[in-house]
Amino acid sequence: MKNNEAFFITLVLVVIFVLLQSTLNLVPDIALIIMAFCGAKKGPMNGQILGFCNGLAEDFLTVSFPGFNALIKTLIGFLSGTIKNKIIFDPVIFPSVFICLVTIIKGILAATVAYLFFPQGFFPAVFSYAFLIEIVLNSLLAPIIYFALKKTHLIQGDIWGSGK
């Protein structure tokens, strides 16, 4: 599968999962997981583009302030992309740890952006019981989604390392 085709399919998957999450109130952020893995494999630019599209779709489908999720997800996509070819770990434990950290970073960024731009009252439910459940579910789903992305060749080779 060519890189452009894989990127387009990944982008469509991210938007589909954002749609599902917003309509079904799914707790795990599957779009975030896909975006983070693809950013880690393809680098910061692809991570930023996927993150921006992910966040923009969330902003469009939810009642959050326009641009709030787009900013957060763009930053997460960039940060995920910075580990490209820098870390080598196993395909089971590291995806869980990686996505756990990405989800926590999402919460920290959401709290920071909300505080900086909306100190008078708009504050997301960060670090609540629901957010803790999201962290756990994202971490548990991470190896499964990583395996599915590898099997469908949307991410080829090992994300962390050789890039085969």
Side-chain angles (χ1 to χ4, degrees):
M1 182 178 305
K2 293 180 182 178
N3 283 338
N4 291 339
E5 290 173 3
F7 180 79
F8 181 73
I9 291 170
T10 305
L11 182 62
V12 169
L13 279 176
V14 165
V15 171
I16 287 171
F17 279 108
V18 167
L19 283 167
L20 286 174
Q21 285 165 212
S22 66
T23 56
L24 302 176
N25 292 326
L26 293 176
V27 174
D29 194 343
I30 297 170
L32 175 76
I33 297 169
I34 293 170
M35 177 203 66
F37 282 144
C38 292
K41 173 61 180 166
K42 303 294 184 181
M45 184 55 72
N46 281 346
Q48 289 175 82
I49 294 169
L50 286 173
F52 180 75
C53 293
N54 179 352
L56 198 61
E58 276 186 51
D59 287 334
F60 182 72
L61 295 170
T62 62
V63 294
S64 66
F65 192 79
F68 180 78
N69 290 304
L71 174 62
I72 292 166
K73 299 290 174 85
T74 301
L75 291 170
I76 292 170
F78 172 77
L79 292 172
S80 296
T82 60
I83 70 162
K84 179 183 175 188
N85 295 329
K86 293 185 178 145
I87 301 172
I88 301 173
F89 282 93
D90 70 290
V92 177
I93 294 173
F94 188 72
S96 292
V97 172
F98 174 64
I99 294 302
C100 178
L101 291 173
V102 165
T103 307
I104 291 169
I105 290 169
K106 176 183 106 170
I108 292 169
L109 286 172
T112 304
V113 169
Y115 179 75
L116 290 174
F117 293 104
F118 314 104
Q120 295 87 2
F122 176 77
F123 199 78
V126 179
F127 304 116
S128 62
Y129 183 69
F131 185 66
L132 180 61
I133 292 172
E134 180 182 343
I135 292 169
V136 171
L137 289 176
N138 283 358
S139 299
L140 291 174
L141 286 173
I144 298 164
I145 293 171
Y146 172 68
F147 179 76
L149 290 172
K150 278 187 78 167
K151 282 295 182 190
T152 57
H153 302 289
L154 292 176
I155 54 173
Q156 295 177 350
D158 186 13
I159 286 180
W160 304 280
S162 63
K164 293 177 185 173

